[in-house]
Amino acid sequence: MIKVDNRKRRDEEKTVDATQTDSKKSEEKIPEAIIEEARELGRGAEILPDGYMGLARKLYEVKKAGRKLRVKLGVDPTSTDLHLGHSVVFRKLRLFQDFGHQIVLIIGGFTAQIGDPSGRNATRPQLTSEQVKENARTYLDQMGLILDIEKTETRNNEEWLAPMNLNDILKLAGKVTVQQLLAKEAFGERMENQQPISFHELFYPILQGYDSVAIEADVELGGTDQRFNILQGRELQPHYNLDQQVAFLLPLIEGTDGAKKMSKTYDNFIGLSEPPSDMFGKCMRIPDELIVKYFELTTTLSGAEVDEIKDFLQSGGNPKEAKARLAKQIVLQYHGEDAARDALTEWDTIHSKRQIPDDMPEYKLTEEKQLFRLLVDTELASGSGQAKRLIADGGVRIDGDQVKDPNQSISPGQGDSIVLQVGRRRFIRINL
């Protein structure tokens, strides 16, 4: 059975060799240093076409021409907060930046008003221009935690999309077939399920693709859910006498639950602007099988350092130790070394020694409240539903004792104070 599999693989390799003779010849001329650069840039990514060698050829062409790669990322600022899932592509952008390439960050001031249909089983609500601009300001502040904004070329696709008249739009649409657009997975699934597709949504991938034409992108980055949109840019560029961009697809990272992609919707996210202790605690909750993936996609560690961690775990190393290193590294990246050290100390104090921290927020209770209401009022829960679930799941304690009744009354005058705890890391002193 093994021989058959090996023969099949050799046959497949021969087929690839036969169809890529020209590219093989050009690969032989590429300096090893450029190939190594492409390999390091490509770690953890799917690169189209031809993997990291496709990127190496693009790098070689650009360097021979005496210029930098123009590396595009388009973001639609549809909310105000970024999380660690968003950081995956930003980290890769920073790596391109560190290698000396030109990052082009496109704020989708126009496309955000349409809404990306990727991965959606319903039409996104359309945002106003004012909403998009407000969100964009917040995005740039948070991106500055990762990117060197001063060296980043920031553009808004309103520049070239808003001035288009009907004639311009029809000419652009004429370069794409309906069959191509309906091949988009999100559209296919919705048609199959007899769910509506608004006509304006069909324009989204065309307009995002045109962004690559407007800024003459050499490389476009995005999550794997952006495959269709990024390839649309490759399809459009030759119509404007431009070389096709390299598509650089990065995996979507699972959230702290280890099941669904990281999202505020699923309450499984680690926010980039969260307090150090919250960020540390959430990192410690990820499943063991995601440790290496998080190191590879969300930290600044080199490929060699990530390989060492992988070897440590495979040789029987304690996952908790690796996870603590991950949590400290992530806090360090967003809050600095002192905050990372303090977060680790606090975690050890609370979780290893099972102690209640000396310093915690305080809340003055002025009237009788049910427990689930108190969780909401103290912002330990985002709403009544979440508060009741936390209590039902055994995640709420008063002075160290687990409570199960969401309607338990807490009243002023019952004592001096109580310590309300949610999970293992969130405490608040309730002054009665």
Side-chain angles (χ1 to χ4, degrees), residues 351-380:
H351 299 275
S352 299
K353 301 175 184 177
R354 299 297 180 188
Q355 295 177 7
I356 293 175
D358 293 328
D359 295 324
M360 69 181 75
E362 296 190 10
Y363 177 88
K364 176 63 177 175
L365 186 68
T366 58
E367 60 181 351
E368 181 178 348
K369 289 184 185 290
Q370 293 170 299
L371 178 59
F372 79 91
R373 294 283 184 199
L374 188 56
L375 289 179
V376 176
D377 290 348
T378 55
E379 298 183 353
L380 291 175

Side-chain angles (χ1 to χ4, degrees), residues 283-296:
C283 289
M284 292 299 293
R285 280 165 39 200
I286 69 167
D288 293 350
E289 59 268 21
L290 289 179
I291 294 172
V292 172
K293 187 174 184 179
Y294 267 63
F295 267 115
E296 188 161 60

Side-chain angles (χ1 to χ4, degrees), residues 247-319:
F248 212 93
L249 305 174
L250 291 155
L252 303 177
I253 197 163
E254 296 88 347
T256 53
D257 58 0
K260 299 175 182 176
K261 76 171 185 176
M262 188 174 289
S263 170
K264 290 189 71 176
T265 302
Y266 303 133
D267 195 24
N268 64 357
F269 67 100
I270 302 172
L272 299 189
S273 56
E274 285 194 65
S277 58
D278 288 355
M279 186 176 275
F280 194 101
K282 286 186 176 183
C283 289
M284 292 299 293
R285 280 165 39 200
I286 69 167
D288 293 350
E289 59 268 21
L290 289 179
I291 294 172
V292 172
K293 187 174 184 179
Y294 267 63
F295 267 115
E296 188 161 60
L297 296 178
T298 68
T299 75
T300 56
L301 299 189
S302 68
E305 289 173 300
V306 174
D307 288 341
E308 287 178 9
I309 294 161
K310 188 185 299 183
D311 292 341
F312 167 77
L313 291 169
Q314 289 177 344
S315 62
N318 187 345

Side-chain angles (χ1 to χ4, degrees), residues 80-101:
T80 55
D81 297 316
L82 297 176
H83 53 62
L84 213 57
H86 297 117
S87 79
V88 173
V89 70
F90 300 146
R91 286 276 162 216
K92 190 63 73 174
L93 269 183
R94 180 56 191 251
L95 189 58
F96 273 96
Q97 206 167 43
D98 290 344
F99 272 100
H101 301 294

Side-chain angles (χ1 to χ4, degrees), residues 116 118 204 208 221-231 249:
D116 185 1
S118 299
Y204 186 91
Q208 182 177 318
L221 273 65
T224 51
D225 60 338
Q226 292 296 307
R227 178 188 300 268
F228 185 92
N229 296 338
I230 293 175
L231 293 179
L249 305 174

Side-chain angles (χ1 to χ4, degrees), residues 62 97 138 146 158 171 199 201 320 333 337 373 394:
V62 163
Q97 206 167 43
T138 308
I146 301 173
E158 276 190 327
K171 282 183 179 178
F199 191 80
E201 293 181 274
K320 185 178 179 182
Q333 290 171 186
E337 190 171 344
R373 294 283 184 199

